[in-house]
Amino acid sequence: MPAIRPLHRALVAALGALLLAAATLLAGAGSAQAALPTPVSAATARTYLASISVAAESHDSTYDRALFPHWITIAGTCDTRETVLKRDGSGVVTASNCSATSGNWVSAYDNVTTTSASSFDIDHLVPLAEAWRSGAWAWSTDQRKALANDLTRPQLIAVSASSNRSKGDQDPAHWLPQTSYRCTYARAWVQVKYYYGLSVDSAEKSALSSILNGC
């Protein structure tokens, strides 16, 4: 018996570790990341911003949202909107067609909360119309589709419909989210514009510089 006890203790410890790991996995399966991909640091964003071309916006009259194919299929029956809703919520339950049937969402723009996925919008952080005016008018359809469905860069986020309507297609010189989220917002905005080679206008650059200098 004395020789068996250490082995017994080792087995119990190993089983406990396995149970703890399983519990952690199950807990993780019931919640979501609840955030868009983490943007670059403020220091990196300032470096990016310094290298982005400054130019007046153009081609506004030729913009058409249909030129940016969006909510494409990401995996199985899940499209971009459904994928972001699942990512940005907690305790999200989905139906067989991937639509969210329940969950909890918090809008980073204005701190509005909801348990109804249909009451939230998926915002293009850099609006499609803004991207068009900043250079996307010259892109191919595939390039515009990539921007409109980008889950890798911090370009898509689930937010309250009211904040999304308030923002519209405005840049940071004319609209900003709640104060606590502005640093993240500016870092994300600059990262997306830098990655896609889009320009900024002078007022936009000034607003972004002011925010980033305070991050």
Side-chain angles (χ1 to χ4, degrees), residues 169-180:
D169 64 356
Q170 300 178 89
D171 67 34
H174 302 98
W175 186 91
L176 287 168
Q178 60 180 331
T179 303
S180 62

Side-chain angles (χ1 to χ4, degrees), residues 10 32 52 55 57 79 138 151 153 209-210:
I52 294 177
E57 296 179 348
D79 65 20
L151 294 168
R153 262 64 53 181
S209 295
S210 177

Side-chain angles (χ1 to χ4, degrees), residues 10-35:
L11 287 173
V12 170
L15 180 58
L18 287 172
L19 290 173
L20 179 61
T24 301
L25 287 173
L26 288 172
S31 60
Q33 179 184 348

